[in-house]
Structures are given as C-alpha cells and as structure tokens.
C-alpha cells in the first residue's frame, strides 16, 4: 500500500540555500508545530512516527526491527510507540506476502490524511522562512532575533 510520492515543496524554494539561522528556525517551527498538534509526546515517539511516515513515503513500509535499526531505540519502546499509533488508527500491520513472519507498518487512510496535513504545514513554514531568509541574505543583515521571538509566541 505505498503512498504516491509527490513534490512536497513549492518550486519557489528550488535552489534556495538556507542560512544557518533559517535552518534552525525551520527546525524549531517544525518541532513547535508537532508539539502544538500532538501534545508533549516523547521525542522517541516523534522519531518513530516520522521514520514510519518517511519509509512509507519511500515505498518501503518498515517493520518494528527496521524502526529499531533506523532510530537506535529499543524494541520495547518501538512497540509501545507503534501500539499508540495503531490505537489512533494511524498505522496498520500488513503481513509481508514474501515472508509471512514479517509485519510491515503502513499508513492507514487517517495516517495518509495526517501526512498530507503535515506536508502542507511544513510547506507553509518553509515558504515563510524562505521569504525573510532571502531578504536578509540579499541585504546582508543579520536576522532580527526580537522579531523571530515574537513569531515564536504565536
């Protein structure tokens, strides 16, 4: 049940070399977005969820063992996090037709809808940061920390 891949980001962003400040702001805004949407969940759970989405996006639904190898987390933690995703109907287990002992984790329809929402939200973040970063790079001005702090509060 692979997801059809798509160009997630606007063509306007092609060729943009984000400044170090822009990269950190993007990282912070994505973390903030995730916490605002899902609450204060463990970082390991977020890593497992994002790894599951990325591997599904690449057409390679992971197994629990794959997630252990990719994240470095113990199997007990992965199993707990996957159980929460399954209870929320975000992922489902599918038996691998080539090896019936293997269970792959695929995004459900609800999980795919959530992935689409995440892509739109991250695109909005990227485009917003792109605008001010290009302006600051062209003017060779440092980013205004007070302005960014005000954005953080909203």
């Amino acid at each position: 049940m692979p997801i059809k891949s798509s160009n997630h980001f606007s063509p306007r962003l092609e060729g943009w070399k984000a400044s170090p400040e822009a990269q950190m702001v993007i990282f912070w805004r994505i973390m903030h977005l995730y916490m605002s949407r899902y609450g204060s969940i463990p970082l390991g759970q977020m890593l497992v969820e994002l790894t599951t989405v990325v591997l599904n996006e690449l057409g390679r639904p992971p197994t629990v063992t794959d997630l252990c190898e990719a994240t470095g987390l113990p199997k007990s933690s992965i199993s707990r996090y996957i159980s929460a995703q399954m209870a929320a109907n975000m992922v489902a287990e599918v038996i691998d037709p080539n090896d019936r002992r293997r269970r792959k984790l695929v995004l459900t329809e609800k999980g795919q809808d959530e992935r689409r929402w995440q892509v739109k939200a991250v695109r909005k973040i990227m485009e917003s940061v792109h605008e001010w970063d290009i302006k600051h790079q062209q003017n060779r001005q440092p980013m205004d920390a007070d302005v960014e702090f005000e954005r953080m509060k909203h």
Side-chain angles (χ1 to χ4, degrees):
M1 218 189 310
I3 299 170
K4 184 181 176 199
S5 184
S6 62
N7 179 5
H8 296 310
F9 301 110
S10 163
R12 296 178 338 123
L13 301 178
E14 288 183 25
W16 171 42
K17 184 170 175 11
S19 68
E21 296 88 357
Q23 292 174 35
M24 289 307 299
V25 169
I26 291 166
F27 175 74
W28 184 89
R29 287 188 184 178
I30 290 171
M31 294 293 290
H32 187 268
L33 170 78
Y34 210 85
M35 290 206 42
S36 296
R37 178 93 170 174
Y38 307 111
S40 182
I41 63 172
L43 190 56
Q45 182 174 347
M46 182 169 62
L47 181 62
V48 169
E49 291 174 4
L50 292 173
T51 303
T52 302
V53 169
V54 168
L55 289 173
N56 270 277
E57 180 72 19
L58 295 172
R60 187 189 190 287
T63 63
V64 169
T65 301
D66 293 336
L67 292 172
C68 291
E69 292 170 359
T71 64
L73 293 170
K75 192 172 188 173
S76 59
S77 295
I78 300 285
S79 295
R80 186 172 57 253
Y81 298 148
I82 292 300
S83 292
Q85 284 186 295
M86 291 175 77
N89 194 30
M90 299 298 251
V91 297
E93 286 184 327
V94 175
I95 295 174
D96 184 343
N98 298 324
D99 182 350
R100 297 193 52 77
R101 296 170 295 171
R102 290 175 49 98
R103 293 189 173 135
K104 296 187 178 229
L105 299 164
V106 298
L107 297 179
T108 61
E109 189 61 39
K110 182 178 178 183
Q112 291 177 27
D113 288 344
E114 190 63 19
R115 175 192 143 270
R116 285 187 279 276
W117 177 87
Q118 291 169 345
V119 167
K120 287 178 186 174
V122 169
R123 181 183 301 124
K124 185 176 176 183
I125 289 169
M126 298 288 287
E127 288 177 350
S128 168
V129 173
H130 171 259
E131 288 175 20
W132 67 252
D133 191 42
I134 292 297
K135 178 179 147 189
H136 288 284
Q137 286 184 30
Q138 289 172 346
N139 296 336
R140 292 187 167 70
Q141 293 177 336
M143 182 181 82
D144 185 335
D146 291 331
V147 170
E148 187 56 33
F149 179 65
E150 289 304 314
R151 284 188 187 128
M152 288 177 163
K153 297 190 296 186
H154 302 289

